[in-house]
Amino acid sequence: MANLFPTSRDFFFPQTHFFDHAFDSFFTKTNQPSVDIKENEHNYKMAIDLPGMNKEDINVTYNNNLLTIEAQSNQETENSDEATNYLRRERVSRSFKRQFIMNNIKFDGIECKYENGVLNINLPKNDQKNLEQNYKINIQ
């Protein structure tokens, strides 16, 4: 019964509050893709794990210093066997949206490539402030 509701809280120490860590895993475990962001003096480099997605399912835009990465995938599987009258049909739908504030990005130098389930984005820095405009990023 102790594993019924996982928590990192210790019941034997009175200084811990009852609900301090009780919901940690409930609120922190999401289906959002993992994102790594590195910065150097010339650019930002991002790597987003998107296994099972197709390049056509992914949309990347940059608008008013806000980088938006969206993806939606719908898959359907159907197996049937007429001899046993067995029919199985499964549907899987996944979608997500992540946004990052990325100031002063040079639009014309953005590179985006999707390969082996990983979306790599290179965002070169710009010394000047960006004008308000919407920019759709092409994925290679």
Side-chain angles (χ1 to χ4, degrees):
M1 181 138 161
N3 292 331
L4 184 64
F5 194 72
T7 180
S8 60
R9 181 172 42 88
D10 192 343
F11 286 102
F12 298 109
F13 292 99
Q15 66 266 23
T16 59
H17 300 294
F18 183 71
F19 288 109
D20 272 355
H21 303 288
F23 297 102
D24 283 352
S25 64
F26 181 74
F27 290 112
T28 58
K29 303 250 183 200
T30 64
N31 290 329
Q32 294 292 327
S34 298
V35 178
D36 297 330
I37 303 174
K38 295 180 183 178
E39 178 184 12
N40 63 36
E41 63 182 275
H42 301 293
N43 58 19
Y44 299 98
K45 291 187 184 260
M46 300 180 75
I48 301 103
D49 293 337
L50 300 173
M53 293 280 185
N54 294 319
K55 181 173 79 168
E56 296 78 23
D57 298 335
I58 304 167
N59 186 32
V60 182
T61 58
Y62 185 75
N63 186 14
N64 296 330
N65 295 328
L66 188 65
L67 179 71
T68 303
I69 303 162
E70 300 176 272
Q72 180 164 352
S73 173
N74 297 310
Q75 297 174 347
E76 189 170 314
T77 304
E78 184 173 328
N79 295 328
S80 63
D81 183 1
E82 293 180 15
T84 60
N85 292 328
Y86 175 73
L87 175 67
R88 178 178 63 106
R89 186 173 179 187
E90 295 183 7
R91 291 161 302 285
V92 176
S93 179
R94 299 184 304 158
S95 66
F96 81 93
K97 180 177 182 178
R98 296 284 309 259
Q99 295 182 310
F100 303 90
I101 296 174
M102 307 294 285
N103 293 317
N104 301 328
I105 300 299
K106 191 181 209 181
F107 295 125
D108 57 353
I110 295 176
E111 296 173 354
C112 190
K113 187 174 185 180
Y114 182 68
E115 188 174 49
N116 297 325
V118 179
L119 180 66
N120 291 296
I121 305 173
N122 183 32
L123 302 157
K125 292 180 180 179
N126 190 1
D127 294 336
Q128 302 172 7
K129 188 170 183 167
N130 289 336
L131 301 175
E132 291 185 13
Q133 70 183 62
N134 191 12
Y135 186 74
K136 173 144 176 36
I137 300 167
N138 292 323
I139 302 172
Q140 298 176 4

